Amino acid sequence: MEHAQHIIDATQDIFSSMIMLEVTAGEPFVRNNDKLINSISGIIGLAGPTKGMLAIHMANAAALAVTSAFLGMEVEEIDDDVRDAIGELANMLAGNMKSVLDPGGSDIKLSMPSAVYGEDYSVDCLAGAQSVTVPFTFDGLGFLVELQLRTDG
Amino acid sequence: MDFSKIIAETTEEIFNCMIFIDIAAQPPLESGKQAMGCHVSAMIGLTGGISAMLGIHCPSTVGLAVAGAMLGMELEEVDADVKDALGEIANMLAGGIKERLSSEDIDLELAIPTAVAGTSYVISAPKGSQRVVVPFIIEQGRFFVEIKYQLN
């Protein structure tokens, strides 16, 4: 749970500066690989001595609202723009958190973001990493930001 | 970097040595969006000389067969064992690719594997990334090994 505050700081920072949305953080929890229904997830791997992944999980309605605000245009379906925006959001969140978790800059490297989307799927991180998820809300919509980390050696 | 060749060789090596299933690589798929009809995937990030995501995508029956062969047990549903086994395969594939690329002076580091499972999902990569997908055949059907990458 030690990273919950990092997630909250990074998410509020990115949302207020890049997306112009104020988001409210809820109580951190450990996600149990619950099914995601009609959702999209932006996922990015973290490599180096500290490994892990960062994911943002959003129901479609939240993803459309965030992408519309991010791109400054109305987006009505989960298309390439939305997939790119949510992947980029994961990338920005990971970059922001890296600057806090790894101020020296050599311990964590970001890989390429992917977007997973669909009517019914689950996302599990493997390999015994520590995990914490923070729920956020804005305008009656919600999303989750999940961080999994493992330090080798 | 001939990724279809690298994927075919690495995957065949790992399946021969670690999982003991005979597999045959098929020609890489044409690029573009693929409806692979897959219900369990494992993926892992790689970064360094290139920024990449390696994934293995299986229909349920194929995922069960591969994980079952690797674990030496009969598996009936896509559970944590299946996801762990596929995650470990993704990890080994990424390790094999890392080794092959280091001989071309491209250094890479691996993230940790993530499993995606469900009845309906698609995995996409950022605009402007390259993508290579190689199908493999086993007795129960086809699975796919994919790399998406950007040059850094």
Side-chain angles (χ1 to χ4, degrees):
Chain A
M1 290 294 184
E2 57 172 321
H3 296 306
Q5 194 58 45
H6 297 143
I7 295 179
I8 294 169
D9 292 345
T11 306
Q12 290 183 332
D13 188 17
I14 295 289
F15 272 76
S16 66
S17 65
M18 305 296 295
I19 310 179
M20 313 300 162
L21 278 176
E22 296 305 321
V23 298
T24 307
E27 202 57 40
F29 66 105
V30 177
R31 207 173 67 87
N32 287 322
N33 307 328
D34 304 326
K35 278 190 172 186
L36 297 155
I37 305 293
N38 292 320
S39 296
I40 177 163
S41 301
I43 300 175
I44 185 164
L46 312 173
T50 299
K51 299 178 195 309
M53 73 106 167
L54 180 128
I56 179 164
H57 308 290
M58 292 187 161
N60 289 351
L64 294 174
V66 165
T67 306
S68 297
F70 188 29
L71 301 181
M73 59 189 235
E74 208 55 38
V75 181
E76 286 171 359
E77 54 170 2
I78 304 293
D79 58 9
D80 279 345
D81 285 337
V82 177
R83 292 188 275 276
D84 261 21
I86 304 304
E88 181 51 29
L89 201 48
N91 195 28
M92 291 190 296
L93 288 169
N96 187 302
M97 266 180 254
K98 173 185 155 69
S99 66
V100 177
L101 297 173
D102 176 26
S106 57
D107 211 25
I108 300 178
K109 295 188 185 105
L110 308 187
S111 70
M112 193 166 81
S114 286
V116 177
Y117 61 100
E119 292 163 18
D120 174 359
Y121 63 91
S122 62
V123 175
D124 307 12
C125 193
L126 308 166
Q130 273 195 28
S131 155
V132 62
T133 299
V134 180
F136 291 89
T137 52
F138 65 96
D139 298 343
L141 297 166
F143 62 91
L144 304 174
V145 178
E146 176 176 19
L147 178 67
Q148 309 228 4
L149 280 183
R150 188 181 80 194
T151 303
D152 289 349
Chain B
M1 284 179 293
D2 179 355
F3 269 117
S4 55
K5 180 161 173 272
I6 291 174
I7 288 175
E9 287 177 1
T10 307
T11 309
E12 282 171 359
E13 187 178 294
I14 284 165
F15 273 73
N16 284 338
C17 305
M18 308 293 294
I19 309 174
F20 307 111
I21 299 184
D22 282 325
I23 58 170
Q26 294 188 304
L29 299 186
E30 299 293 320
S31 54
K33 204 165 289 172
Q34 309 291 343
M36 297 190 230
C38 290
H39 296 125
V40 57
S41 300
M43 48 194 207
I44 181 166
L46 302 104
T47 188
I50 60 171
S51 183
M53 175 75 84
L54 178 114
I56 175 167
H57 309 290
C58 306
S60 301
T61 49
V62 175
L64 293 174
V66 169
M70 184 168 163
L71 300 174
M73 56 201 255
E74 199 76 17
L75 297 166
E76 283 169 9
E77 57 173 346
V78 176
D79 57 10
D81 285 337
V82 175
K83 293 175 191 173
D84 272 353
L86 287 179
E88 185 49 34
I89 293 171
N91 201 30
M92 291 191 289
L93 289 170
I97 288 169
K98 171 187 155 103
E99 202 177 295
R100 281 182 164 75
L101 289 186
S102 79
S103 67
E104 299 184 27
D105 286 328
I106 298 170
D107 285 322
L108 288 173
E109 292 188 73
L110 309 189
I112 55 180
T114 302
V116 177
T119 56
S120 165
Y121 66 86
V122 179
I123 300 174
S124 68
K127 281 176 196 156
S129 58
Q130 310 284 320
R131 184 178 197 194
V132 177
V133 183
V134 182
F136 294 87
I137 296 195
I138 65 169
E139 189 190 332
Q140 289 80 3
R142 290 208 297 180
F143 69 90
F144 304 86
V145 177
E146 170 188 38
I147 192 160
K148 296 176 282 204
Y149 65 98
Q150 279 166 333
L151 302 177
N152 280 345

